Amino acid sequence: MEIICIVCPNGCRMEASGEGGNLQVSGNLCPKGIDFAKAEITAPMRSLTTTVATVFPESPRLPVKTRSEIPKGKVMEAMAKIRTVVVHEPKKVGDVILPDVFGTDIIATGELAR
Amino acid sequence: MTDKQNNFTQTASTEDIVNLSTFTSVENYDILVLGGGPAGLAAAVSAHENGASVLLIERERRLGGILKQCVHDGFGLLRYKERLTGPEYAQREIDCFLAAEIPYVLESFVVDVRKEGSGYVVCAQSAAGMKAYSCKAIILACGCRERTSRQVFIHGQRSAGIFSAGTAQYFVNIQGKMPTKRCVILGSGDIGLIMARRLTLEGASVVGVYEIKNAPAGLSRNISQCLDDFGIPLHLSTTVTEVLGTQRVEAVAIEKVDTNMNPIPGTREIIECDALILSVGLLPEIELANALDIPIDPATKGPFVDQSLMTQAAGVFACGNVLHVNDLADWVSWSGEIAGENAAKYCRNPRGFFTNKDGCVGGEPVLLQYSKADFLYVVPQYVSSHGPFPLTLFFRSREDVKDKTITLASGGVTLPSEEALQDGKGGGYISKKYRRIIPSEMEALKVKSLGRLGDAVEFRLKME
Amino acid sequence: MANCAFGVICTKKLGSLQNLLARKYPGVECFEFGDSVRLEGTLGDWETIVRCGKFAAKAGFRAVINDVSLKDFTPPPMRTPPVKDNALQGLTPDVLIIGGGVIGCSIARELSRWQLSVLLVDKEDDVAMHASSRNDGMIHPGIASHPGTLRGEYNVRGNAMYDQICKDLSVPFERWGSLILYHERWFGISARFFLGYRSKALGVPGRHLNRRRLEALEPNITKEANGAFEYPTSGILSPYKLTVALAENAVENDVQISLNTVVTGMDVEHGAITAVHTNRGTVRPRVIANAAGCFCDTVAGMAGDRFFSIHPRKGECCILDKNAGPLSQRSMGLIGLAAAFSTSKGGGIMRTIDGNVLVGPDAYEQPLREDFSTNRENLDAVMNKHLQLINGFNRSQVIAYFAGVRAPTYEEDFIIEGSRRVQNLIHAAGIQSPGLASAPAIADEITKLTLSRIGGKILPNPRFNPVRNASPAMAKLSLKEKQELIAKNPEYGVVVCRCEGISKGEIRAAVRSPLPATSLDAVKRRVRPGMGRCQGGFCTPLVAELLQEEGVESITKKGAGSELFVGSLGDKATEVYPDD
């Protein structure tokens, strides 16, 4: 099967064949591609980036992301959880906005000044 | 005959705007950086590190440029070896800029720029009034703008709900407003793909992405993670020909196109939706370059530059998306650094600076030749064997090609490169093999030196 | 109305028209209707219906009512605003003006010179929503009209009035002149006599230019033109800025303007309108002025005075980027012999008052009165026809395009008169090109007619001030004036629209003006954010933000139904993604 690697902008078009330990991957420019292909076949993961509401009229949204990847199938559920958040305090990049969402934290990716 | 005044954004009665005597004070800097996005921030820092006094002028309320609204990730893999979101990438650049304590002004809009003696005068408008700044060099870092529905000749009604992808992105990511419940996206540029995912995540339904060409315009990883992941179909060789709905978009008509991109009769289909979102290309914002009468490359739609990233006007440099539209912010920052460093060098010794203008010192940059059939464009457009180095040639191929070798040649001779000779890999030639080159993905060919070439008078980039 | 002798003549005319129609347009019958003739029947295509109407217009009746219907086509009903309230219920203004285009607003301002209560209603969300914002902005010199027509007469008179009006209203206006270009030399020679006669008969100054002199005036003109006739009194302005300024000044002088207000019917008793019904209540005006553009025959019909028909004539234009602006100085169009005698001038190119170039419009008959859509074939034809006139013009300079619908009668002339059937109704109807140029003169005449219909002694309005309290336009100020203005109000320093260099202060002033701009397009028509090359890509969110700040609850492009947003992020989130 064809898998497009999304790890970096090269976007390698890889061809994966075989199963489990015998998985053969070709078309990757770097080893990250093999890891990606393996994960994609067994348990695909995605990072999620979005925004949360704030109480500050000058900056009504704060950009956030999952600290590490979450299962691809849980992306919409994660969105529903994130959507309930309203930020009341100034934040810095990396501050935790919502802990423990499918095994990771939702963290700020932008500055929120008062 | 063209009237320069009228070419500029503000047309009327600005005759006295740069009459310096009308200003009570004129601030003086070596370099003015126009634009506070990734290009401008990097340019300012690099110019500052190279000893120049710098002022950065930004028209928006905050630094960071368009990255502020690009909340998705994928930035910084080259520059920071990390996968960052747009705001994170911007914040790193901003932190670095602020740490250097370089002066800057926000919400200041440049209304005029003129040559004055051997330098330039810039007039900016802000809540603080009309301010004049004089400088030895200018770095244009004003980014790009989106092509509009009008520029791709969308017909039908002019109803609410026709947005460019970047505008929709601002609505969603900055203002928290939803511009659609069910939309059609025209154009498969990266912003369109990113917005297809973003709108889907926020609960809208994206009926499909339609691309007039027979190949997607955006990165393949974005097709995969933004469309395929969410089951959003991509329709190639199909375009939107009409918008229906008098007040708000109610539907669009799509049609298949032939190889000349003309609609094929009988293929018309009506798709109900409340918005048409366009991702049909970006154009460098060259208003300030135009005001200075700087020649524009019809291929990039940005100014012609040499490898110092100086335009055809002595002391005016260009970097980032005003120079040509980049795929990656990393390249934008990188070009900012090149422009900043060279602008600082220019300020120290304008006459000794390697330039293709009057007073140049040998190794005059010459127009790089390339076949328009092979390449969409190459930047920089002027190359000199005297540097500065490293020289990185950015290019886009015209077609989707496989197994090609790109070679920089002088006259009939392919140039030996010092680097290649030293590391013994390149067989002594400045050439690089590519497994696949596609128009939507910019390629970079790095040249560490052009060796002992002397004053070469002809350069050619070849694809074989 | 029809006395005996009149009736006899009409019957005779009717008979011969009947015979001719039967031969040329089988299926069409004609009837006498007052002193007009009414056509009935069904035809298969719209152009034939229009041709049939025009044919009947030559039969010598006062006017043609063309009720021939198009086969398998039901005309869409007039679009009406969704609002329903009683905001106007029980009002008894001296004058009710129906229609907020340049004609209605000119009349409103003119009437505000007198001690009268004036109410202007328009069904749209702003004034100048139909033809008055969808034309080329040219103040024609008058040369295009036949001597003896109202179009010619009012055009020449109206043109002369614009200097003062624009000065009073602070509306930018320039007399850059216009050129009628020709290709064939023989045409130039014959047209010299023809246009020379018109010049004299109408009182329009003009001169002939050979190729050499033409080139000296317009260095970028291509070889398409071998000579030209120049008319220096031709002017150019922004038709929507003018209409808004007229409306604002009218409001400053106590005229009431009610938008989103559509007239739905009238009560007529003993030859007079006693009540006018709207979606916002019933008003009982003493006199009604019909300035309803494409719907002026509908309005006349409500009063039982439907003696003419409008046949909507659509036109499409495109706008070029400001970088093309300096390439030509004057308005110009190339004509051949056929165009010289046609009802429409066939468009051309003109440098707009804001420094862009307008190309077009074309002219074609179609049955829809409110269809402002554009289509590829028409616009391509417009560009192919006119872009070739100037070296340096090309398609890539196009930043916008739009369509408008003219409101001509079958007689192709204005109707500016008191109703012959309804004593308190006055028509400013059938206004098509050169309606903009004629507007001041039309308003003058309608005001005279109104005063005489009201009767008695009417005193001048002592509070009348012809000078509009216009908010400053940064682009027009000197550096020193800009400095002072920003010092007084820093928002004039904050640029919101980067293409046109429009400040926050200017936009806020438009939102707070006597006729507040409450939609994105209304702001755009007044102060231009979104008119530039990015077409609002950058400034739309900022203008929307400012409108919200100013208390506009629903941000729309052009009134109800054109809301920009469908909601905020997170609205009904749980509904979309149940948390299970």
Side-chain angles (χ1 to χ4, degrees), chain A residues 78-112:
Chain A
M79 279 299 290
K81 288 178 194 280
I82 294 166
R83 205 176 272 122
T84 60
V85 175
V86 178
V87 174
H88 295 264
E89 297 293 324
K91 297 286 176 194
K92 290 223 169 296
V93 174
D95 286 357
V96 174
I97 302 299
L98 183 64
D100 196 23
V101 174
F102 298 109
T104 189
D105 296 331
I106 304 301
I107 57 171
T109 61
E111 301 271 303
L112 185 61

Tab-separated table of all heavy atoms in Angstrom, chain A residues 78-112:
chain	number	residue	atom	x	y	z
A	78	ALA	N	-11.017	14.453	20.936
A	78	ALA	CA	-10.118	15.415	21.578
A	78	ALA	C	-10.609	16.841	21.313
A	78	ALA	O	-10.604	17.694	22.213
A	78	ALA	CB	-8.702	15.233	21.054
A	79	MET	N	-11.051	17.086	20.104
A	79	MET	CA	-11.584	18.418	19.772
A	79	MET	C	-12.749	18.775	20.704
A	79	MET	O	-12.851	19.902	21.176
A	79	MET	CB	-12.059	18.468	18.312
A	79	MET	CG	-10.977	18.690	17.286
A	79	MET	SD	-10.081	20.245	17.483
A	79	MET	CE	-11.329	21.439	17.017
A	80	ALA	N	-13.615	17.814	20.928
A	80	ALA	CA	-14.780	18.077	21.775
A	80	ALA	C	-14.348	18.445	23.196
A	80	ALA	O	-14.923	19.338	23.822
A	80	ALA	CB	-15.699	16.859	21.790
A	81	LYS	N	-13.308	17.789	23.684
A	81	LYS	CA	-12.808	18.104	25.029
A	81	LYS	C	-12.179	19.503	25.047
A	81	LYS	O	-12.415	20.299	25.952
A	81	LYS	CB	-11.754	17.078	25.468
A	81	LYS	CG	-12.308	15.700	25.802
A	81	LYS	CD	-11.143	14.776	26.164
A	81	LYS	CE	-11.565	13.316	26.178
A	81	LYS	NZ	-12.259	12.942	27.416
A	82	ILE	N	-11.371	19.770	24.028
A	82	ILE	CA	-10.645	21.049	23.980
A	82	ILE	C	-11.644	22.212	23.870
A	82	ILE	O	-11.433	23.287	24.412
A	82	ILE	CB	-9.662	21.061	22.785
A	82	ILE	CG1	-8.572	20.013	23.007
A	82	ILE	CG2	-9.052	22.433	22.600
A	82	ILE	CD1	-7.741	19.697	21.782
A	83	ARG	N	-12.733	21.935	23.198
A	83	ARG	CA	-13.707	23.001	22.947
A	83	ARG	C	-14.360	23.508	24.243
A	83	ARG	O	-14.909	24.598	24.268
A	83	ARG	CB	-14.759	22.468	21.978
A	83	ARG	CG	-15.434	23.538	21.184
A	83	ARG	CD	-16.387	22.969	20.166
A	83	ARG	NE	-15.722	22.679	18.902
A	83	ARG	CZ	-15.691	21.484	18.336
A	83	ARG	NH1	-16.262	20.457	18.913
A	83	ARG	NH2	-15.077	21.306	17.182
A	84	THR	N	-14.287	22.742	25.284
A	84	THR	CA	-14.930	23.162	26.540
A	84	THR	C	-14.067	24.155	27.320
A	84	THR	O	-14.518	24.744	28.295
A	84	THR	CB	-15.177	21.940	27.448
A	84	THR	OG1	-13.910	21.331	27.740
A	84	THR	CG2	-16.100	20.932	26.779
A	85	VAL	N	-12.812	24.339	26.882
A	85	VAL	CA	-11.863	25.148	27.664
A	85	VAL	C	-12.037	26.640	27.386
A	85	VAL	O	-12.224	27.047	26.234
A	85	VAL	CB	-10.407	24.741	27.324
A	85	VAL	CG1	-9.407	25.646	28.033
A	85	VAL	CG2	-10.185	23.280	27.657
A	86	VAL	N	-12.004	27.440	28.442
A	86	VAL	CA	-11.895	28.888	28.288
A	86	VAL	C	-10.723	29.356	29.140
A	86	VAL	O	-10.650	29.035	30.332
A	86	VAL	CB	-13.181	29.614	28.745
A	86	VAL	CG1	-13.016	31.123	28.604
A	86	VAL	CG2	-14.386	29.144	27.941
A	87	VAL	N	-9.797	30.059	28.532
A	87	VAL	CA	-8.595	30.498	29.249
A	87	VAL	C	-8.845	31.855	29.901
A	87	VAL	O	-9.302	32.786	29.232
A	87	VAL	CB	-7.389	30.570	28.277
A	87	VAL	CG1	-6.181	31.150	28.979
A	87	VAL	CG2	-7.085	29.192	27.725
A	88	HIS	N	-8.560	31.943	31.208
A	88	HIS	CA	-8.804	33.184	31.951
A	88	HIS	C	-7.528	33.919	32.323
A	88	HIS	O	-7.589	35.034	32.820
A	88	HIS	CB	-9.596	32.868	33.225
A	88	HIS	CG	-10.970	32.340	32.961
A	88	HIS	ND1	-12.086	33.150	32.968
A	88	HIS	CD2	-11.400	31.092	32.649
A	88	HIS	CE1	-13.157	32.411	32.687
A	88	HIS	NE2	-12.769	31.158	32.493
A	89	GLU	N	-6.385	33.244	32.149
A	89	GLU	CA	-5.118	33.814	32.616
A	89	GLU	C	-4.141	33.957	31.459
A	89	GLU	O	-4.222	33.195	30.496
A	89	GLU	CB	-4.480	32.873	33.653
A	89	GLU	CG	-5.290	32.674	34.918
A	89	GLU	CD	-5.364	33.952	35.739
A	89	GLU	OE1	-4.354	34.690	35.749
A	89	GLU	OE2	-6.429	34.225	36.331
A	90	PRO	N	-3.196	34.901	31.559
A	90	PRO	CA	-2.152	34.987	30.530
A	90	PRO	C	-1.373	33.670	30.443
A	90	PRO	O	-1.220	32.976	31.441
A	90	PRO	CB	-1.243	36.108	31.038
A	90	PRO	CG	-2.099	36.911	31.936
A	90	PRO	CD	-3.068	35.960	32.568
A	91	LYS	N	-0.924	33.351	29.272
A	91	LYS	CA	-0.210	32.081	29.061
A	91	LYS	C	1.052	32.313	28.243
A	91	LYS	O	1.138	33.264	27.458
A	91	LYS	CB	-1.101	31.087	28.305
A	91	LYS	CG	-2.363	30.681	29.035
A	91	LYS	CD	-2.084	29.722	30.172
A	91	LYS	CE	-3.382	29.421	30.923
A	91	LYS	NZ	-3.155	28.777	32.214
A	92	LYS	N	1.987	31.372	28.437
A	92	LYS	CA	3.202	31.360	27.627
A	92	LYS	C	3.233	30.080	26.796
A	92	LYS	O	2.551	29.108	27.139
A	92	LYS	CB	4.440	31.402	28.523
A	92	LYS	CG	4.643	32.725	29.237
A	92	LYS	CD	6.119	33.123	29.175
A	92	LYS	CE	6.378	34.552	29.627
A	92	LYS	NZ	5.746	35.567	28.777
A	93	VAL	N	4.045	30.094	25.746
A	93	VAL	CA	4.189	28.909	24.904
A	93	VAL	C	4.608	27.722	25.781
A	93	VAL	O	5.522	27.853	26.592
A	93	VAL	CB	5.249	29.137	23.802
A	93	VAL	CG1	5.496	27.854	23.015
A	93	VAL	CG2	4.804	30.248	22.868
A	94	GLY	N	3.914	26.612	25.678
A	94	GLY	CA	4.264	25.409	26.426
A	94	GLY	C	3.428	25.213	27.685
A	94	GLY	O	3.419	24.131	28.251
A	95	ASP	N	2.721	26.239	28.139
A	95	ASP	CA	1.874	26.098	29.329
A	95	ASP	C	0.780	25.066	29.059
A	95	ASP	O	0.210	25.024	27.967
A	95	ASP	CB	1.203	27.440	29.684
A	95	ASP	CG	2.180	28.426	30.296
A	95	ASP	OD1	3.353	28.041	30.492
A	95	ASP	OD2	1.788	29.583	30.558
A	96	VAL	N	0.494	24.265	30.085
A	96	VAL	CA	-0.551	23.261	29.929
A	96	VAL	C	-1.918	23.947	30.004
A	96	VAL	O	-2.216	24.695	30.935
A	96	VAL	CB	-0.437	22.174	31.012
A	96	VAL	CG1	-1.618	21.207	30.922
A	96	VAL	CG2	0.879	21.424	30.852
A	97	ILE	N	-2.736	23.670	29.028
A	97	ILE	CA	-4.065	24.272	28.972
A	97	ILE	C	-5.115	23.262	29.435
A	97	ILE	O	-6.071	23.602	30.112
A	97	ILE	CB	-4.383	24.732	27.522
A	97	ILE	CG1	-3.335	25.732	27.048
A	97	ILE	CG2	-5.785	25.314	27.416
A	97	ILE	CD1	-3.233	27.014	27.850
A	98	LEU	N	-4.897	22.012	29.046
A	98	LEU	CA	-5.832	20.956	29.443
A	98	LEU	C	-5.008	19.671	29.591
A	98	LEU	O	-4.449	19.182	28.615
A	98	LEU	CB	-6.912	20.795	28.364
A	98	LEU	CG	-8.021	19.774	28.629
A	98	LEU	CD1	-8.868	20.173	29.831
A	98	LEU	CD2	-8.907	19.613	27.403
A	99	PRO	N	-4.923	19.133	30.832
A	99	PRO	CA	-4.088	17.952	31.016
A	99	PRO	C	-4.807	16.670	30.589
A	99	PRO	O	-6.043	16.630	30.541
A	99	PRO	CB	-3.821	17.949	32.518
A	99	PRO	CG	-4.973	18.694	33.122
A	99	PRO	CD	-5.517	19.613	32.070
A	100	ASP	N	-4.011	15.680	30.305
A	100	ASP	CA	-4.475	14.310	30.099
A	100	ASP	C	-5.599	14.170	29.083
A	100	ASP	O	-6.726	13.809	29.412
A	100	ASP	CB	-4.899	13.719	31.457
A	100	ASP	CG	-5.019	12.199	31.356
A	100	ASP	OD1	-4.367	11.619	30.448
A	100	ASP	OD2	-5.767	11.613	32.146
A	101	VAL	N	-5.262	14.470	27.875
A	101	VAL	CA	-6.209	14.219	26.792
A	101	VAL	C	-5.630	13.071	25.959
A	101	VAL	O	-4.612	13.242	25.294
A	101	VAL	CB	-6.409	15.477	25.925
A	101	VAL	CG1	-7.285	15.160	24.714
A	101	VAL	CG2	-7.040	16.596	26.747
A	102	PHE	N	-6.221	11.908	26.087
A	102	PHE	CA	-5.740	10.709	25.395
A	102	PHE	C	-4.239	10.523	25.596
A	102	PHE	O	-3.488	10.323	24.658
A	102	PHE	CB	-6.118	10.734	23.923
A	102	PHE	CG	-7.594	10.756	23.719
A	102	PHE	CD1	-8.235	11.892	23.249
A	102	PHE	CD2	-8.370	9.648	24.061
A	102	PHE	CE1	-9.614	11.920	23.111
A	102	PHE	CE2	-9.741	9.673	23.918
A	102	PHE	CZ	-10.381	10.806	23.449
A	103	GLY	N	-3.861	10.670	26.854
A	103	GLY	CA	-2.487	10.363	27.218
A	103	GLY	C	-1.500	11.497	27.036
A	103	GLY	O	-0.308	11.312	27.270
A	104	THR	N	-1.954	12.642	26.657
A	104	THR	CA	-1.012	13.764	26.545
A	104	THR	C	-1.692	15.036	27.050
A	104	THR	O	-2.848	15.005	27.476
A	104	THR	CB	-0.503	13.925	25.099
A	104	THR	OG1	0.549	14.885	25.078
A	104	THR	CG2	-1.605	14.371	24.164
A	105	ASP	N	-0.937	16.124	27.025
A	105	ASP	CA	-1.503	17.397	27.466
A	105	ASP	C	-1.772	18.294	26.266
A	105	ASP	O	-1.091	18.206	25.247
A	105	ASP	CB	-0.509	18.134	28.376
A	105	ASP	CG	-0.233	17.364	29.654
A	105	ASP	OD1	-1.125	16.613	30.110
A	105	ASP	OD2	0.893	17.505	30.187
A	106	ILE	N	-2.741	19.154	26.454
A	106	ILE	CA	-2.947	20.216	25.468
A	106	ILE	C	-2.162	21.424	25.970
A	106	ILE	O	-2.380	21.888	27.104
A	106	ILE	CB	-4.443	20.575	25.341
A	106	ILE	CG1	-5.277	19.335	24.991
A	106	ILE	CG2	-4.646	21.673	24.314
A	106	ILE	CD1	-4.893	18.654	23.700
A	107	ILE	N	-1.237	21.892	25.148
A	107	ILE	CA	-0.384	22.995	25.592
A	107	ILE	C	-0.523	24.206	24.663
A	107	ILE	O	-0.874	24.072	23.485
A	107	ILE	CB	1.105	22.569	25.657
A	107	ILE	CG1	1.582	22.036	24.291
A	107	ILE	CG2	1.311	21.517	26.739
A	107	ILE	CD1	3.077	21.817	24.228
A	108	ALA	N	-0.250	25.372	25.235
A	108	ALA	CA	-0.332	26.618	24.468
A	108	ALA	C	0.793	26.665	23.446
A	108	ALA	O	1.919	26.245	23.733
A	108	ALA	CB	-0.253	27.822	25.394
A	109	THR	N	0.505	27.158	22.265
A	109	THR	CA	1.570	27.349	21.273
A	109	THR	C	1.780	28.831	20.971
A	109	THR	O	2.594	29.185	20.136
A	109	THR	CB	1.248	26.599	19.963
A	109	THR	OG1	0.032	27.127	19.420
A	109	THR	CG2	1.090	25.114	20.191
A	110	GLY	N	1.034	29.674	21.664
A	110	GLY	CA	1.221	31.108	21.475
A	110	GLY	C	1.247	31.817	22.816
A	110	GLY	O	0.944	31.215	23.854
A	111	GLU	N	1.619	33.059	22.793
A	111	GLU	CA	1.634	33.880	24.000
A	111	GLU	C	0.269	34.507	24.176
A	111	GLU	O	-0.362	34.923	23.198
A	111	GLU	CB	2.659	35.015	23.867
A	111	GLU	CG	4.073	34.547	23.621
A	111	GLU	CD	4.840	34.310	24.908
A	111	GLU	OE1	4.947	35.251	25.703
A	111	GLU	OE2	5.311	33.159	25.098
A	112	LEU	N	-0.173	34.593	25.389
A	112	LEU	CA	-1.408	35.319	25.672
A	112	LEU	C	-1.088	36.343	26.750
A	112	LEU	O	-0.892	35.990	27.907
A	112	LEU	CB	-2.492	34.345	26.146
A	112	LEU	CG	-3.880	34.941	26.360
A	112	LEU	CD1	-4.435	35.518	25.070
A	112	LEU	CD2	-4.826	33.886	26.896
